[in-house]
Amino acid sequence: MSEQPDPASTPPSSAMPQKTGMSRRTIMTIVGIVVVILIAAGGWFFSRDQPTNAKAGDCISGQTAESMKIVACTDAKATNKVVG
C-alpha cells in the first residue's frame, strides 16, 4: 500500500513565494535621483566657462556675447581680462 502525504502538512501550491531584491519603486527612485544629478552636473559643466561666471583676474576670449568664454590668461586667444 502506498502512503499518501497528509494534506494538512503540505503547503498549498498557490502560496506566493517571498520576493527578494529591490522593489520596482525603489529602483525607479534611484534612477530618478541619478538622472537629476546628471542633469545638474551637465548644466554646471557646460556653463562653467560662460562670461557671467568670470571673476576678477579671469581672462575672456571672443568679441560678441555669444562667442565669449573664459580662457586661460596664457592662451593666445585671451583678449580681455576681468578687473574689479
Side-chain angles (χ1 to χ4, degrees):
M1 191 160 143
S2 69
E3 260 184 56
Q4 298 268 334
D6 183 16
S9 66
T10 58
S13 61
S14 64
M16 297 287 279
Q18 247 184 346
K19 286 187 175 182
T20 58
M22 292 188 285
S23 70
R24 183 180 183 103
R25 182 176 178 164
T26 303
I27 292 171
M28 293 306 290
T29 300
I30 292 170
V31 168
I33 290 170
V34 169
V35 167
V36 168
I37 290 171
L38 288 175
I39 290 171
W44 170 81
F45 181 78
F46 289 111
S47 69
R48 65 191 164 122
D49 63 347
Q50 296 295 316
T52 56
N53 296 328
K55 296 175 183 72
D58 287 345
C59 292
I60 298 175
S61 71
Q63 298 300 319
T64 65
E66 293 81 26
S67 67
M68 286 187 167
K69 65 179 186 175
I70 299 172
V71 295
C73 291
T74 56
D75 191 338
K77 296 178 183 176
T79 56
N80 299 307
K81 187 169 187 173
V82 179
V83 294

